[in-house]
Amino acid sequence: MNCNEVVREIPPYCYGEVSPAIEETLEAHLADCPACTRELAKHRKFLTRMDERAEMPDTGMLASCRTDLRTAISRVPAPVATNWLESFRNLWQLNIPFRVPVGAMALVALGFFAARVTPERFGGMKAGLSEPMFSNVRSVEPDASGQVRISVDEVHRRMVSGALGDANIQQLLLEAAREENNPGVRVESIGLLKNNVDSEEVRNALLDALTRDQNPGVRLKALEGLRPYAGNKDVRKTLASVLVKDENAGVRVQAIDLLTTHRDDSIVGALQNALQYEDNTYVRAQCERLLAEMKASVGTY
Amino acid sequence: MLEAVEVLSARMAQTESQTDEAGLIRAAQKGDQDAFERLVRSYDHSVLRVAMNLLRSPDEARDVYQEAFLKVYRNLHTFRFDCSFHTWLYRIVTNICLDHLRRRKVRREESTVVETSEGVVDRMSQLEEGAPHADPERQMWNRQLGGKIDQALESLTPRERAVFELRHYEGLRLRAIGEMIGTTEEAAKNCLFRATQKMRASLEAFV
């Protein structure tokens, strides 16, 4: 990868949107190229500047938009599906138990057997796995006949698929949520895990991502997942800490929105603390409103 | 007793927030106004934020909010769960925002900057004055930077602007952005590169 190619990959790299192979090549190039390293630093600084300019609608604006929308909708006749085509289409929405997993299993099975019976020359499955990679050479022994015996550790890449509820899939997703090198993988994993937030292990993984992950996209996904548990004591404690410490205004906005869903006097200190440093208008307004509702002062004395 | 009531109300709140979104959509499709309103409330903050970030004009953001949710209201019965509701809604919002940006380009208007009797005023910079305790120096810096960023954003094509804003402020994946604006992931990636290059050139003094 030359310098021009690296410069083109820097924007997606900063958002965690390059493939592992490109990421590896790019990082290897950066390690030896001061010019590209400077370019990366400048790009990161540009992104930080843009973060400072994020626009957040205030509560008053949101409330008036809602009122205007309600008025506009009251003037529109309620639309309903009426013709036979619509009714036929609605059949697909019938609530048949396990429709989605059964359908998915059937498709997987169909694909599997189709690949088995399709001859290789028509694109069917090759016998055996794809070519393995090796991570380490253990020993090299030449013998008298001119042959060489090499002992290597092989690494196989394989696709694993299964339902989200499957325990093994769940474990892999929890591992992927901690994948340090690829924020894209972390965003996807947290996005999937948040659908199973009833599990304490998943909830802890989301809390961990919310407080530790460097990528704001991952933290926002974790916040979305924690929404049903906004009343939980541990979750609220973490949200209060995020409100004070998180550098990303978008994350703080989501955190205060979750905190406002339940009244809880134990977060008064955190709200007062946040007000001392917060420069986002919306977050400030929400903190002040919550404190006023709890009859607490807006400052600490 | 009080504790039991608190536990019960916490559980009720939890159950309420766990309500199945698909169930809510189906109820709204059958004409349940309450379900529709709850659906709106789950997403309207994000919708307004997207519109504000894309258009940087509170008035236009309000128009987009109303136009988008009216469109959802009128067409919800055609939603077939082929994609997530979130993707469907964002596609509608992005398209409306792109229309606004294109119209703005045609009119060659600077939507956030208006002429008043006291001279030229940036309406967006006025919004920041709601924070009374913020550092004045920082506010000045923010205003200068904000003005420059607005100018830089105006220099982008509507599509470049949409890709940058959706990726940077909304954290959407390039693949999803490509789907929303009707293009490929690769084209969205190229668009992002062009947008960031143009903006960095405009903001050279600040970065």
Side-chain angles (χ1 to χ4, degrees):
Chain A
M1 199 181 255
N2 62 32
C3 290
N4 281 340
E5 288 165 334
V6 167
V7 168
R8 283 197 80 84
E9 292 296 338
I10 281 178
Y13 172 73
C14 286
Y15 293 122
E17 287 229 46
V18 291
S19 66
I22 290 179
E23 191 176 272
E24 206 172 299
T25 319
L26 191 141
E27 281 169 358
H29 179 100
L30 286 170
D32 293 329
C33 179
C36 287
T37 308
R38 272 198 303 278
E39 174 65 21
L40 175 65
K42 277 181 95 171
H43 193 79
R44 285 198 166 132
K45 196 173 172 194
F46 157 73
L47 295 179
T48 311
R49 289 275 170 271
M50 296 306 292
D51 279 342
E52 289 167 14
R53 192 59 184 156
E55 296 295 348
M56 293 294 160
D58 59 45
T59 38
M61 184 177 174
L62 190 62
S64 72
C65 281
R66 283 175 178 168
T67 312
D68 291 348
L69 179 67
R70 213 172 290 131
T71 314
I73 282 179
S74 67
R75 293 183 192 136
V76 178
V80 279
T82 47
N83 63 36
W84 66 271
L85 188 63
E86 292 291 316
S87 310
F88 178 73
R89 280 180 181 165
N90 283 344
L91 280 176
W92 294 102
Q93 290 180 38
L94 286 179
N95 193 17
I96 301 166
F98 306 114
R99 181 167 58 101
V100 174
V102 168
M105 291 282 285
L107 283 173
V108 169
L110 184 67
F112 178 79
F113 286 111
R116 289 267 156 192
V117 297
T118 307
E120 197 182 308
R121 66 178 187 279
F122 296 125
M125 230 166 90
K126 284 182 185 172
L129 288 168
S130 58
E131 286 296 306
M133 295 180 286
F134 63 89
S135 64
N136 194 22
V137 178
R138 294 275 175 186
S139 64
V140 178
E141 292 172 36
D143 63 20
S145 66
Q147 298 280 310
V148 184
R149 286 159 58 90
I150 303 174
S151 165
V152 294
D153 294 337
E154 284 183 354
V155 180
H156 289 276
R157 178 178 292 184
R158 67 185 175 111
M159 295 298 283
V160 179
S161 60
L164 276 176
D166 183 292
N168 290 330
I169 293 287
Q170 195 82 196
Q171 273 310 314
L172 284 173
L173 285 173
L174 285 166
E175 283 299 319
R178 288 189 283 268
E179 170 55 55
E180 278 179 21
N181 297 322
N182 193 334
V185 167
R186 299 203 302 276
V187 170
E188 296 288 350
S189 311
I190 293 286
L192 289 169
L193 282 170
K194 72 183 172 60
N195 298 323
N196 191 20
V197 77
D198 288 343
S199 146
E200 197 178 340
E201 204 177 1
V202 170
R203 213 156 54 239
N204 288 338
L206 295 185
L207 286 171
D208 196 48
L210 177 58
T211 47
R212 290 172 204 270
D213 204 292
Q214 297 294 311
N215 185 299
V218 178
R219 301 203 295 277
L220 281 168
K221 287 269 183 204
L223 271 169
E224 272 175 40
L226 291 167
R227 187 174 286 276
Y229 282 86
N232 177 290
K233 199 177 147 196
D234 290 337
V235 173
R236 292 184 71 74
K237 207 170 147 189
T238 309
L239 288 174
S241 149
V242 165
L243 186 64
V244 177
K245 292 179 185 162
D246 202 291
E247 289 173 358
N248 185 290
V251 175
R252 297 200 301 278
V253 164
Q254 295 292 331
I256 190 71
D257 278 351
L258 287 191
L259 283 169
T260 52
T261 56
H262 294 77
R263 191 179 152 164
D264 172 10
D265 292 347
S266 69
I267 59 162
V268 166
L271 293 175
Q272 288 169 334
N273 205 5
L275 268 177
Q276 288 187 32
Y277 306 103
E278 184 60 64
D279 56 3
N280 181 283
T281 318
Y282 176 75
V283 179
R284 287 188 69 84
Q286 287 289 69
C287 288
E288 284 170 355
R289 187 176 66 78
L290 267 184
L291 286 169
E293 276 175 13
M294 291 189 275
K295 299 194 179 5
S297 64
V298 292
T300 47
Y301 303 101
Chain B
M1 178 65 185
L2 194 64
E3 205 174 309
V5 172
E6 275 176 8
V7 170
L8 191 64
S9 60
R11 278 192 188 156
M12 278 170 69
Q14 194 174 306
T15 316
E16 194 182 333
S17 55
Q18 279 177 312
T19 307
D20 182 16
E21 183 183 272
L24 217 53
I25 295 168
R26 289 196 179 100
Q29 284 175 325
K30 285 175 192 156
D32 183 339
Q33 295 286 337
D34 186 45
F36 181 76
E37 190 152 337
R38 281 164 67 194
L39 205 54
V40 169
R41 277 171 183 267
S42 332
Y43 287 100
D44 66 349
H45 188 264
S46 320
V47 166
L48 200 53
R49 195 180 59 220
V50 171
M52 284 278 279
N53 273 313
L54 263 170
L55 301 169
R56 300 204 173 237
S57 155
D59 292 341
E60 280 186 279
R62 276 169 193 277
D63 291 347
V64 169
Y65 176 98
Q66 183 157 131
E67 202 178 330
F69 282 116
L70 277 176
K71 213 168 222 177
V72 169
Y73 184 72
R74 290 196 184 100
N75 297 297
L76 193 60
H77 66 283
T78 65
F79 179 66
R80 299 282 155 235
F81 299 87
D82 301 329
C83 58
S84 74
F85 180 74
H86 173 267
T87 306
W88 189 66
L89 173 63
Y90 264 51
R91 201 177 291 152
I92 291 173
V93 175
T94 313
N95 283 330
I96 296 173
C97 286
L98 279 174
D99 285 345
H100 274 253
L101 287 170
R102 285 181 191 124
R103 280 203 292 270
R104 196 190 282 179
K105 282 268 169 203
V106 172
R107 291 199 306 264
R108 293 175 191 279
E109 276 183 7
E110 292 277 337
S111 68
T112 61
V113 180
V114 289
E115 274 192 35
T116 68
S117 54
E118 291 163 13
V120 178
V121 173
D122 184 345
R123 287 178 291 174
M124 293 307 285
S125 63
Q126 285 187 322
L127 289 176
E128 286 177 334
E129 284 164 14
H133 311 293
D135 177 6
E137 236 175 78
R138 192 185 167 94
Q139 274 196 352
M140 171 72 88
W141 163 262
N142 274 345
R143 258 197 291 275
Q144 285 175 349
L145 175 64
K148 262 292 190 205
I149 289 178
D150 287 344
Q151 275 177 21
L153 284 169
E154 289 296 330
S155 72
L156 305 182
T157 66
R159 184 173 276 227
E160 286 165 355
R161 187 163 173 168
V163 171
F164 177 76
E165 303 265 4
L166 291 171
R167 178 54 262 193
H168 189 76
Y169 293 114
E170 294 305 311
L172 297 178
R173 311 275 300 165
L174 286 168
R175 192 176 54 198
I177 296 171
E179 277 173 24
M180 280 172 196
I181 61 171
T183 188
T184 61
E185 182 180 356
E186 195 56 33
K189 187 174 148 186
N190 289 335
C191 227
L192 177 72
F193 178 71
R194 283 196 304 274
T196 52
Q197 289 300 105
K198 282 186 190 176
M199 293 204 53
R200 277 183 52 186
S202 305
L203 298 169
E204 205 161 12
F206 289 85
V207 294

